[in-house]
C-alpha cells in the first residue's frame, strides 16, 4: 500500500476514498463470491462488515435506505479505483469507444515497448506483491519447509470482456490479442505467465501447499522469455532454494539470451522438451569431432541406430510407445561424453572421452602414449560388486574405428578431454538428459503440477477464465483483478492444506512473535540476474 499511497500523495485536491479499502473490498468479494466486480466489492466493504471492523478500518458508510447517499459513496469508491488505474497506466486513453486500428497499435506498442517499461514494472511489482502475500506467510509459518525449490512455468489464457480487433477498429482492450491453446483453440484476451511450487519427486506429494509463486499478465506471445524470467526472479527474492524448472516446447524455442541463460544465471535447472525439428538429423552438429544432439555430446563412432531412437521417441503418440524405446536408448549412455568440469567464469565446460565406458582401439592407443600405467585386466570378477562388473571390458560395447593416422582423427579422439563453449546447444542443454527415465519422471511430474494449477485457477472457486467477472477495462484493471484472483486462490490453497494437516484454517496463518516475513519482491532486483545461490536444491 505504501507504493500506491506515495503516488496518490502527489495528486492535488482532497485525499478521496482510501484506495486500500477498494482493494480490500475486491479481496472480500473474490473470497466470498468469486467476483471481481466493483459493485460487489463496494457492497461488501460498505454494508457487509461489522461495526467494530468499520471503526477499526475507518470505512466510510451511509444509510442503506438513502439511495442518493449510496450512489454518492459508490461514485467516490469508483473514482478511487479509476485514479489508481490511471496512475499505473503506461498509455492512458479513452475506453468508451473503439479506436482506429492504427491508433490502437500505437498504444499497444507503448505497453510492449521501451516507453512503457517503467510503468509496466510498477504494475508487475504491485501485482506480485498481491500474489506473494500468502506465499510470504507460508514461508514464515514453515509450511514450505518440505518444498525443495522445484517449479513449473506455463502460460494460460485470461479472456477479457471485449470484442476482438477488426481490420478498422481496435478492441477496447488495445493490448490484448488471440491466445492460442495447445489443441488449436483460441481465446481473445491476455496471457498470464505463472510459476507454481512443484516437485520432481512424486514421493513429496502432499507435503507442502502448491502455491502460485509469481504472475505476469501480458499480450499473448510477447516477451515470453522475459516474463518467465521475471516470475522466477520474484521467487528468487523470497527463498534461496533453487531446483528444477519445467516448461513446455514453446519456451525451448525461445532465444537463449531471453530464457535459457537468464534462468540458469538465477540458479534454476531447466527441464525442457524438444520438437521434431530439434531432434531431426538436420539439427545435429559437430563440435570438435563429437556429435552434438539433444543437448549432449556423443562419440563420433556412436551407432546410427541409437541416434535415430531420439526421432522415433519424438514421433510416438503416447507414453506406452515411448517406454520400450527408452529402454533401448539406455545403450547410448556408453557413447556419451562425460562432463569433467562444470561451467567456469568464461562459460566453458570440460568433457572427457567415454573411454572408460567403451572398448576403443583409438583410446587404447592414446592412453598407451601417456604416462599412466594400468594393471592387468582381472580374469575373475565379483558378480556382486556392481562397479567391478560394470567397468570390466567384457561388459563394455566395442567400437571398430577406421584406420586413420593420429592427425586425421577427430579432436575428441586425439585427446582425453575437450573444452566446450557455452554457445554450443544453449537451448537444449539440461542437467537431466532428454528422454532418460530421470528426465521423464521429472518433466511429467512438474508439467502435471502446472496443468493442475491452471485447472484449479479456472474452477468454479477461482474462475480466472470467467471474463464476466472482470468487467473493468484496461490492462491495469485486468492485471490487478487477475492478481487478486490468484491471491485468493493461494489463500484457499493454504486453508485446504491446513485442514488436511488437521490444523486450524482460521488461526493457522496468524503470525506469532517469532515469525519473520520475507521481504516483498521488488522490480529493481528482477532486471539483473543474480548469481547462483549457495542454497541450491537438487531433487532426485
Amino acid at each position: 500500500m505504501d507504493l500506491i499511497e506515495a503516488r496518490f500523495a502527489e495528486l492535488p485536491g482532497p485525499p478521496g476514498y482510501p484506495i486500500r479499502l477498494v482493494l480490500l473490498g475486491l479481496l472480500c468479494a473474490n473470497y466470498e463470491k468469486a467476483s471481481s466486480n466493483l459493485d460487489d466489492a463496494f457492497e461488501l466493504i460498505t454494508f457487509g462488515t461489522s461495526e467494530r471492523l468499520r471503526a477499526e478500518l475507518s470505512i466510510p458508510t451511509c444509510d442503506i435506505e438513502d439511495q442518493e447517499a449510496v450512489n454518492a459513496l459508490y461514485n467516490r469508491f469508483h473514482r478511487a479505483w479509476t485514479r489508481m488505474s490511471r496512475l499505473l497506466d503506461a498509455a492512458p486513453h479513452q475506453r468508451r469507444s473503439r479506436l482506429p486500428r492504427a491508433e490502437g497499435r500505437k498504444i499497444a506498442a507503448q505497453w510492449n515497448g521501451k516507453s512503457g517499461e517503467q510503468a509496466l514494472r510498477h504494475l508487475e511489482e504491485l501485482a506480485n506483491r498481491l500474489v506473494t502475500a500468502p506465499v510470504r506467510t507460508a514461508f514464515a509459518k514453515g509450511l514450505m519447509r518440505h518444498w525443495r525449490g522445484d517449479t513449473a512455468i506455463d502460460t494460460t489464457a485470461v479472456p477479457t470482456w471485449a470484442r476482438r480487433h477488426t481490420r478498422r477498429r481496435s478492441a477496447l482492450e488495445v493490448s490484448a490479442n488471440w491466445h492460442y491453446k495447445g489443441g488449436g483453440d483460441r481465446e481473445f484476451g491476455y496471457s498470464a505467465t505463472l510459476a507454481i511450487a512443484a516437485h520432481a519427486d512424486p514421493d513429496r506429494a502432499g507435503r507442502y501447499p502448491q502455491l502460485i509463486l509469481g504472475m505476469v499478465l501480458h499480450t499473448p506471445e510477447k516477451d515470453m522469455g522475459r516474463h518467465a524470467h521475471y516470475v522466477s526472479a520474484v521467487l528468487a527474492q523470497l527463498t534461496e532454494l533453487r531446483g528444477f524448472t519445467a516448461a513446455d516446447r514453446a519456451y525451448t524455442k525461445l532465444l537463449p539470451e531471453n530464457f535459457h541463460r537468464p534462468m540458469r544465471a538465477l540458479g534454476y535447472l531447466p527441464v525442457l522438451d524438444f520438437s521434431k525439428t530439434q531432434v531431426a538429423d538436420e539439427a545435429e552438429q559437430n563440435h570438435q569431432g563429437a556429435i552434438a544432439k539433444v543437448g549432449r555430446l556423443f562419440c563420433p563412432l556412436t551407432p546410427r541406430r541409437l541416434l535415430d531412437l531420439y526421432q522415433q521417441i519424438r514421433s510416438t503418440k503416447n507414453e506406452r510407445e515411448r517406454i520400450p524405446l527408452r529402454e533401448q536408448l539406455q545403450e547410448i549412455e556408453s557413447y556419451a561424453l562425460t562432463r569433467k568440469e562444470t561451467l567456469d567464469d568464461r562459460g566453458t565446460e570440460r568433457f572427457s572421452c567415454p573411454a572408460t565406458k567403451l572398448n576403443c582401439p583409438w583410446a587404447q592407443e592414446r592412453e598407451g602414449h601417456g604416462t599412466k600405467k594400468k594393471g592387468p585386466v582381472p580374469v575373475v570378477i565379483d558378480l556382486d560388486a556392481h562397479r567391478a562388473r560394470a567397468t570390466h571390458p567384457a561388459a563394455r560395447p566395442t567400437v571398430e574405428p577406421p584406420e586413420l593416422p593420429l592427425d586425421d582423427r577427430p579432436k575428441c579422439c586425439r585427446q582425453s578431454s575437450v573444452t566446450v563453449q557455452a554457445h554450443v546447444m544453449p537451448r537444449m542443454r539440461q542437467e537431466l538428459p532428454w528422454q532418460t527415465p530421470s528426465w521423464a519422471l521429472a518433466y511429467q511430474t512438474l508439467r502435471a503440477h502446472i496443468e493442475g494449477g491452471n485447472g484449479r485457477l479456472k474452477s468454479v472457486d477461482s474462475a480466472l477464465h470467467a471474463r464476466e467477472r472482470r468487467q473493468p477495462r484496461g490492462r491495469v484493471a485486468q492485471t490487478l483483478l487477475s492478481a487478486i484472483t490468484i491471491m485468493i486462490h493461494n489463500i484457499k490453497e493454504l486453508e485446504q492444506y491446513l485442514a488436511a494437516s488437521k490444523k486450524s484454517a482460521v488461526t493457522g496463518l496468524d503470525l506469532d512473535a517469532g515469525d519473520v516475513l520475507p521481504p516483498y519482491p521488488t522490480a529493481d532486483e528482477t532486471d539483473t540476474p543474480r548469481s547462483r545461490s549457495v542454497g541450491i536444491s537438487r531433487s532426485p
Side-chain angles (χ1 to χ4, degrees):
M1 293 312 307
D2 296 339
L3 281 174
I4 303 177
E5 292 176 353
R7 304 195 71 177
F8 263 71
E10 302 173 359
L11 300 178
Y17 197 97
I19 189 61
R20 59 187 177 87
L21 296 182
V22 177
L23 291 178
L24 181 60
L26 287 168
L27 288 171
C28 293
N30 205 302
Y31 185 89
E32 296 290 342
K33 300 182 178 182
S35 171
S36 299
N37 291 333
L38 293 178
D39 50 353
D40 292 332
F42 171 75
E43 179 183 352
L44 271 174
I45 197 67
T46 307
F47 306 113
T49 50
S50 63
E51 294 184 5
R52 180 191 61 81
L53 194 59
R54 285 199 293 270
E56 182 178 344
L57 299 179
S58 302
I59 299 176
T61 187
C62 62
D63 186 1
I64 194 172
E65 297 182 357
D66 189 346
Q67 190 62 41
E68 293 184 357
V70 172
N71 291 339
L73 187 59
Y74 176 75
N75 289 335
R76 293 182 61 202
F77 182 91
H78 193 276
R79 282 196 299 269
W81 168 261
T82 303
R83 283 200 298 173
M84 183 185 67
S85 300
R86 289 178 179 175
L87 279 175
L88 298 172
D89 202 334
H93 63 283
Q94 65 87 15
R95 295 186 176 85
R96 295 186 178 182
S97 62
R98 303 175 71 177
L99 299 174
R101 191 73 177 101
E103 188 175 348
R105 284 195 178 101
K106 293 179 181 179
I107 295 176
Q110 293 183 37
W111 271 109
N112 299 318
K114 291 290 184 182
S115 58
E117 188 172 353
Q118 184 176 4
L120 190 59
R121 295 296 92 79
H122 284 298
L123 179 60
E124 290 174 349
E125 180 179 357
L126 175 58
N128 279 280
R129 287 194 175 203
L130 289 168
V131 171
T132 58
V135 180
R136 294 168 66 237
T137 303
F139 276 113
K141 298 299 295 182
L143 301 179
M144 303 294 290
R145 61 184 179 276
H146 295 300
W147 176 63
R148 303 194 61 176
D150 297 335
T151 58
I153 296 177
D154 197 14
T155 301
T156 188
V158 181
T160 61
W161 189 259
R163 289 184 293 174
R164 63 181 180 85
H165 303 297
T166 63
R167 182 174 298 179
R168 295 184 177 181
R169 295 287 177 181
S170 291
L172 293 175
E173 297 285 350
V174 292
S175 62
N177 213 323
W178 290 107
H179 176 99
Y180 291 90
K181 302 180 180 180
D185 298 334
R186 62 178 189 172
E187 285 191 275
F188 185 80
Y190 296 99
S191 296
T193 297
L194 306 173
I196 188 172
H199 50 266
D201 182 8
D203 292 338
R204 309 195 72 81
R207 302 184 65 181
Y208 62 91
Q210 288 192 316
L211 304 176
I212 306 296
L213 305 173
M215 182 212 78
V216 176
L217 194 81
H218 56 90
T219 304
E221 299 184 2
K222 291 287 186 180
D223 296 332
M224 292 177 57
R226 190 196 71 80
H227 302 315
H229 170 257
Y230 182 88
V231 295
S232 300
V234 166
L235 176 60
Q237 298 179 48
L238 297 176
T239 176
E240 297 292 336
L241 289 174
R242 306 288 189 274
F244 293 114
T245 296
D248 60 16
R249 290 194 291 272
Y251 290 90
T252 309
K253 298 177 182 178
L254 298 176
L255 294 177
E257 56 270 20
N258 293 340
F259 175 69
H260 306 78
R261 289 171 183 163
M263 292 295 293
R264 292 189 177 100
L266 287 172
Y268 295 99
L269 307 177
V271 183
L272 307 172
D273 196 9
F274 303 141
S275 63
K276 291 183 179 180
T277 56
Q278 290 176 313
V279 301
D281 293 343
E282 294 77 10
E284 289 185 12
Q285 302 176 18
N286 188 284
H287 185 70
Q288 302 193 40
I291 300 174
K293 190 179 180 72
V294 296
R296 306 183 72 184
L297 294 174
F298 296 101
C299 172
L301 303 175
T302 305
R304 173 49 56 180
R305 64 175 183 84
L306 295 179
L307 294 172
D308 290 343
L309 285 174
Y310 287 113
Q311 291 177 262
Q312 298 177 28
I313 293 177
R314 179 68 278 171
S315 301
T316 56
K317 298 180 180 180
N318 52 57
E319 192 67 16
R320 182 182 301 176
E321 298 177 4
R322 297 188 192 105
I323 291 176
L325 293 177
R326 286 200 189 108
E327 295 177 355
Q328 299 178 37
L329 192 60
Q330 294 181 11
E331 298 180 30
I332 207 171
E333 296 299 323
S334 301
Y335 300 88
L337 272 66
T338 306
R339 181 187 285 113
K340 188 177 180 181
E341 295 177 4
T342 55
L343 281 174
D344 56 14
D345 297 336
R346 300 174 299 170
T348 62
E349 297 174 303
R350 295 284 293 177
F351 281 82
S352 61
C353 169
T356 57
K357 300 181 288 184
L358 292 173
N359 295 325
C360 178
W362 282 356
Q364 296 171 4
E365 182 181 349
R366 183 185 64 231
E367 293 176 359
H369 292 300
T371 57
K372 294 183 179 180
K373 300 295 182 181
K374 294 185 178 180
V377 177
V379 179
V380 180
I381 333 171
D382 184 5
L383 297 179
D384 294 331
H386 173 73
R387 178 172 296 182
R389 189 174 70 249
T391 57
H392 194 275
R396 307 176 198 163
T398 300
V399 295
E400 298 180 358
E403 293 290 339
L404 289 177
L406 182 62
D407 295 338
D408 295 341
R409 297 172 186 174
K411 185 176 181 181
C412 63
C413 296
R414 295 198 306 266
Q415 53 193 54
S416 59
S417 60
V418 292
T419 300
V420 180
Q421 302 293 333
H423 60 69
V424 179
M425 301 178 295
R427 296 180 180 178
M428 308 176 76
R429 288 189 184 185
Q430 47 186 327
E431 296 293 324
L432 301 177
W434 186 64
Q435 290 301 336
T436 58
S438 57
W439 176 90
L441 179 64
Y443 184 78
Q444 293 169 7
T445 306
L446 294 173
R447 286 292 300 164
H449 293 321
I450 190 64
E451 295 298 341
N454 289 342
R456 292 191 297 274
L457 276 174
K458 296 180 179 182
S459 64
V460 177
D461 295 332
S462 298
L464 183 64
H465 69 294
R467 66 189 76 202
E468 64 275 5
R469 298 187 181 181
R470 293 186 312 279
Q471 296 186 14
R473 299 166 184 164
R475 186 157 169 177
V476 174
Q478 294 294 314
T479 299
L480 294 181
L481 295 179
S482 299
I484 289 173
T485 300
I486 296 175
M487 176 183 177
I488 296 301
H489 167 80
N490 280 341
I491 292 175
K492 292 182 178 180
E493 186 74 19
L494 286 174
E495 292 177 346
Q496 293 175 7
Y497 176 78
L498 290 173
S501 303
K502 298 182 179 180
K503 298 179 182 179
S504 173
V506 178
T507 61
L509 299 178
D510 293 342
L511 295 176
D512 299 328
D515 295 334
V516 179
L517 284 172
Y520 273 118
T522 59
D524 298 335
E525 295 189 22
T526 57
D527 295 333
T528 304
R530 298 172 60 186
S531 59
R532 179 169 287 189
S533 172
V534 296
I536 296 175
S537 164
R538 293 291 184 271
S539 294

